C-alpha cells in the first residue's frame, strides 16, 4: 500500500478563478498515476491516467502534469465553474506484481458562484 | 451500454445478517474491483479479480467474500454483518490492466444496525 498525500484537503474558490492542487506519492516503483473526479452523490469518473515523467494531459479546462522523479502530480483548473465542484482523487499504481490502486483522500473543491 | 451496474442502491441490515451486493459490467472488462468508502478515509480496496475464476484480497478483505464465475459479474458477499461494515460500496472495472482507467458503478449504501 503506497503512501499518497493530496493537498489541500479542501478549498473554496470564486467562479472564474484558476486553481491547482497536488498529489504526492513515492517516486520509487512508479508505473502510472490516475486522477478521478468525484461529484457528491455520484461515483468517481476518470479524468486522466499518466505514465511518463513530464507527461501533460488536458481535458477542457482541466489539465495535469506528472513528475515521477520527485513523486508528484499537479491538477490545474482554469477559470473554475460551479460545475467543477467535486472531490478530486489521485491514485498511483506501482506495478511490481500489484493489482491495486492506492487512492488518496482527495481534494474537495467548492466553486462559489 | 449500461457500463457498471450495482444492486441494491440502499440496504439496511441487522447485525449478523448476510447479504450479497451485485455488480455487473457489460464492457467485457477483465479486471473488476470492490471498494468501500468511509468518511474521511477515501476509497479502500476490498477484493479484486483479474478474470473469471480469479480473485484476490485487497487492503480490507475481512468479513467479505467474492466470486467471479463470469466476466460480467462480480458479487460481494457479507456473511455476518457488523456495524463496522456500514459504508458505501463501489464496484469498478477496467480493461486489461490497472494502468487503464477504472469505470465505477453508482454505489450501494449499506447500514448495519
Amino acid at each position: 500500500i503506497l503512501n499518497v498525500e493530496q493537498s489541500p484537503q479542501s478549498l473554496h474558490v470564486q467562479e472564474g478563478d484558476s486553481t491547482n492542487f497536488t498529489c504526492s506519492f513515492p517516486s520509487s516503483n512508479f508505473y502510472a498515476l490516475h486522477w478521478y473526479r468525484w461529484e457528491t452523490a455520484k461515483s468517481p469518473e476518470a479524468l486522466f491516467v499518466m505514465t511518463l515523467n513530464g507527461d501533460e494531459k488536458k481535458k477542457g479546462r482541466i489539465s495535469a502534469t506528472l513528475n515521477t522523479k520527485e513523486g508528484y502530480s499537479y491538477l490545474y483548473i482554469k477559470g473554475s465553474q460551479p460545475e467543477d465542484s467535486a472531490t478530486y482523487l489521485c491514485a498511483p499504481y506501482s506495478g511490481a506484481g500489484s493489482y491495486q490502486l492506492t487512492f488518496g483522500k482527495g481534494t474537495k473543491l467548492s466553486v462559489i458562484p | 451500454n449500461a457500463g457498471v451496474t450495482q444492486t441494491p442502491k440502499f440496504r439496511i441490515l441487522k447485525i449478523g445478517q448476510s447479504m450479497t451486493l451485485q455488480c455487473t459490467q457489460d464492457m467485457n472488462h477483465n479486471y473488476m474491483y470492490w471498494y468501500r468508502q468511509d468518511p474521511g478515509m477515501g476509497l479502500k480496496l476490498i477484493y479484486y479479480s483479474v478474470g473469471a475464476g480469479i480473485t484476490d484480497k485487497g487492503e480490507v478483505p475481512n468479513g467479505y467474500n467474492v466470486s467471479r464465475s463470469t466476466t460480467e459479474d462480480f458479487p460481494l458477499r457479507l456473511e455476518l454483518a457488523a456495524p463496522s461494515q456500514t459504508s458505501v460500496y463501489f464496484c469498478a472495472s477496467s480493461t486489461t490492466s490497472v494502468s487503464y482507467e477504472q469505470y465505477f458503478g453508482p454505489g450501494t449504501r449499506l447500514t448495519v444496525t
Side-chain angles (χ1 to χ4, degrees):
Chain A
I1 305 301
L2 304 176
N3 184 24
V4 184
E5 296 199 6
Q6 290 190 248
S7 62
Q9 277 190 322
S10 66
L11 76 160
H12 295 75
V13 301
Q14 290 291 136
E15 182 176 352
D17 287 351
S18 295
T19 187
N20 64 86
F21 21 95
T22 307
C23 171
S24 300
F25 52 87
S27 56
S28 58
N29 295 324
F30 174 85
Y31 202 86
L33 182 84
H34 294 225
W35 279 102
Y36 290 83
R37 169 195 157 87
W38 194 358
E39 289 182 69
T40 303
K42 294 189 177 180
S43 49
E45 290 184 352
L47 284 171
F48 309 113
V49 179
M50 310 171 78
T51 56
L52 299 175
N53 184 45
D55 236 359
E56 286 191 37
K57 299 246 179 177
K58 188 174 181 181
K59 186 181 283 191
R61 293 177 292 97
I62 304 176
S63 60
T65 60
L66 178 66
N67 183 322
T68 62
K69 295 188 188 309
E70 296 181 43
Y72 65 85
S73 176
Y74 293 138
L75 191 80
Y76 301 90
I77 302 179
K78 185 178 178 182
S80 303
Q81 299 297 308
E83 58 265 30
D84 296 328
S85 297
T87 297
Y88 292 84
L89 303 174
C90 72
Y93 170 51
S94 67
S98 165
Y99 294 92
Q100 301 188 33
L101 289 181
T102 303
F103 282 87
K105 294 181 181 179
T107 292
K108 185 171 183 178
L109 174 67
S110 300
V111 182
I112 304 161
Chain B
N1 191 335
V4 180
T5 57
Q6 291 182 238
T7 56
K9 284 191 166 58
F10 305 95
R11 183 74 186 266
I12 299 174
L13 280 183
K14 293 193 186 314
I15 294 170
Q17 286 185 320
S18 302
M19 78 164 294
T20 299
L21 282 66
Q22 302 291 346
C23 175
T24 300
Q25 53 90 11
D26 62 0
M27 297 174 282
N28 202 31
H29 284 173
N30 287 325
Y31 285 49
M32 295 187 75
Y33 314 85
W34 273 106
Y35 294 94
R36 58 179 286 172
Q37 183 235 339
D38 300 317
M41 298 299 292
L43 288 166
K44 300 288 187 186
L45 183 66
I46 305 171
Y47 270 94
Y48 65 92
S49 168
V50 300
I54 306 170
T55 63
D56 209 345
K57 296 176 181 178
E59 188 182 351
V60 290
N62 291 344
Y64 307 94
N65 275 301
V66 293
S67 59
R68 184 98 182 267
S69 56
T70 66
T71 300
E72 294 78 20
D73 300 306
F74 190 40
L76 177 73
R77 177 94 180 147
L78 282 72
E79 289 294 348
L80 289 169
S84 60
Q85 294 177 303
T86 294
S87 189
V88 182
Y89 292 84
F90 288 96
C91 178
S93 71
S94 62
T95 52
T96 54
S97 163
V98 184
S99 295
Y100 291 90
E101 61 187 10
Q102 296 188 9
Y103 294 81
F104 284 79
T108 294
R109 184 175 293 274
L110 176 67
T111 302
V112 182
T113 62

